[in-house]
Amino acid sequence: MLLGPSLLSLLLLVQACSLPWGIRRQPSPRGVLGLGAESRQDPALSGDGRLLASLVLRSGRSTVLLQDRRSGQTMPLPLLRGQQPHSSPSLSWNGRYLALLVWRGGRRQVVINDRATNRLLPLPLRGDQEAQRLSLAPDGRHLAVELVEDGQSRVEVFNLGEWLEPDPVPGSLLGQAPGSGSRP
Amino acid sequence: MSAVGLRSKGVFAVAPGFALALGLLLGGCLDNGARPLMGLNQQLAHTAVNRDPALGSDWLAVIGGREGREQVRLVRLSQGAPVPLPGLNRPDARPVSVAVDQWGERLALIRELEGRRELVLYRRSLQSLQLIPIEPAGVPHRLALSADGRVLAVEVGRGGLSQVDLLELP
């Protein structure tokens, strides 16, 4: 059977937009996030998925950009100016905390930007430990750091519970994992 | 004196246990009150290499193992113990980047298989692995999963440019 041109076009359109198991692709970041053809790397999402942090080049230096994922609106991060290159951004649930690596004092350092109090909190590491990657827990209670020592990578986890106020995760104890039949 | 300052060869040669204990004691608290999770960190140190950590509330996903034999591991922080991930790791695949949701239920993974990279979503309770196509075609490098497990952000290389693809998951 031959397909009419309109039916064929419709099938192609459906095929282009659909992914298996109901996964939906958000329209191109070029259009929504307003970066044109600019390169962006190392994405991080707030726990609720509302905010997107990513790295873009500004004056040739890697700089973290924080945006509302849906509107593309950019949030200012004044405390991070002049501390590029930035790397490995990580966000808490509501995006109150942004953990990342910055360049300070001639070395790469771990900092946490508390956007609620407008403070930049450094996490000093011992001796010649060099941080490579970070991951902040959604509630801000823990930070995992990939460290390089003697050319070997290892991961250490820090409890920040006595240092940071928690960024509340709604229903974290009562909620149910999406798409699963039971709580793990 | 810092813990690192004590790590001379002599100290370790004479009393390695004492030096390690003292080092851990002095390093137990950083200036700002951040405290290393000693038990978990020691357990992680038993693996030759650990990299690319991803935290989801009580869960830590890492890529670890010996060079060329790396696997994704998922550890529950409160119990300090890894949980099995049947069907996720393959001996012929090299994990590249991993992320986990706050329940430790969904893991998103970029892995290299026969020289090609692919993006997969793993559901732990179902032990199911789902391949997510990259469209338009590109090479995935790094990913992030929102803690609620609903949004996936993937850095994809296309034509010499890095872009971020955003996917909403049901």
Side-chain angles (χ1 to χ4, degrees):
Chain A
M1 185 181 76
L2 293 175
L3 296 174
S6 57
L7 181 56
L8 184 59
S9 301
L10 182 62
L11 285 175
L12 288 173
L13 183 65
V14 169
Q15 187 180 15
C17 296
S18 64
L19 284 166
W21 295 279
I23 296 172
R24 288 190 303 131
R25 192 177 303 278
Q26 185 173 320
S28 164
R30 288 188 186 194
V32 173
L33 301 177
L35 287 175
E38 188 173 22
S39 191
R40 56 165 60 207
Q41 300 176 319
D42 217 346
L45 291 160
S46 58
D48 59 5
R50 188 175 57 87
L51 299 178
L52 169 72
S54 60
L55 299 176
V56 297
L57 283 179
R58 291 284 182 267
S59 304
R61 297 187 303 173
S62 186
T63 302
V64 70
L65 191 68
L66 184 62
Q67 293 178 278
D68 183 283
R69 178 174 63 87
R70 292 195 174 277
S71 70
Q73 181 187 0
T74 301
M75 327 257 163
L77 298 168
L79 299 178
L80 300 177
R81 284 187 199 128
Q83 302 190 46
Q84 294 97 332
H86 302 151
S87 60
S88 197
S90 184
L91 288 160
S92 60
W93 182 272
N94 294 297
R96 170 176 176 174
Y97 300 113
L98 168 63
L100 76 161
L101 296 169
V102 300
W103 189 258
R104 299 176 83 182
R107 62 175 299 189
R108 194 181 291 163
Q109 292 196 12
V110 181
V111 296
I112 297 175
N113 188 352
D114 182 350
R115 298 174 55 242
T117 61
N118 201 30
R119 290 184 305 161
L120 197 62
L121 308 166
L123 180 79
L125 298 173
R126 299 194 311 270
D128 58 353
Q129 290 179 331
E130 185 183 358
Q132 289 284 106
R133 305 279 316 160
L134 303 178
S135 180
L136 182 66
D139 56 8
R141 289 183 184 276
H142 294 100
L143 180 73
V145 185
E146 178 188 329
L147 299 163
V148 176
E149 267 186 327
D150 301 326
Q152 290 273 39
S153 292
R154 64 188 175 86
V155 170
E156 285 200 2
V157 182
F158 295 87
N159 184 337
L160 309 180
E162 297 174 11
W163 188 34
L164 302 182
E165 288 179 1
D167 195 3
V169 177
S172 60
L173 296 176
L174 301 174
Q176 188 169 2
S180 71
S182 61
R183 283 270 296 156
Chain B
M1 179 182 289
S2 70
V4 173
L6 290 170
R7 294 172 62 178
S8 67
K9 288 182 180 175
V11 171
F12 274 104
V14 173
F18 172 75
L20 180 61
L22 189 58
L24 289 173
L25 186 65
L26 292 176
C29 276
L30 300 179
D31 294 343
N32 48 26
R35 289 186 296 106
L37 298 185
M38 291 297 187
L40 177 65
N41 292 341
Q42 285 177 331
Q43 182 197 324
L44 290 169
H46 290 155
T47 306
V49 173
N50 279 305
R51 61 178 178 85
D52 280 277
L55 276 173
S57 292
D58 194 29
W59 298 93
L60 170 69
V62 292
I63 295 173
R66 301 198 177 279
E67 194 67 36
R69 295 294 302 269
E70 291 181 316
Q71 292 190 331
V72 175
R73 296 174 186 201
L74 184 65
V75 178
R76 189 161 205 167
L77 298 184
S78 57
Q79 298 175 355
V83 297
L85 299 170
L88 178 61
N89 290 301
R90 288 177 54 153
D92 56 345
R94 185 181 76 87
V96 175
S97 180
V98 67
V100 63
D101 71 5
Q102 66 167 326
W103 296 280
E105 162 64 15
R106 292 180 170 188
L107 286 92
L109 172 67
I110 297 170
R111 65 184 185 185
E112 198 163 283
L113 196 62
E114 297 176 347
R116 299 183 63 169
R117 288 193 179 182
E118 62 182 24
L119 172 64
V120 294
L121 181 65
Y122 179 76
R123 289 179 168 89
R124 193 163 59 90
S125 64
L126 304 174
Q127 301 181 14
S128 70
L129 196 65
Q130 166 188 343
L131 181 69
I132 301 177
I134 304 286
E135 296 171 356
V139 180
H141 293 294
R142 199 168 283 286
L143 56 74
L145 180 65
S146 62
D148 66 5
R150 300 287 190 186
V151 186
L152 185 60
V154 188
E155 177 192 328
V156 179
R158 291 189 179 100
L161 200 66
S162 290
Q163 298 174 329
V164 172
D165 286 4
L166 294 167
L167 303 171
E168 294 179 350
L169 310 177

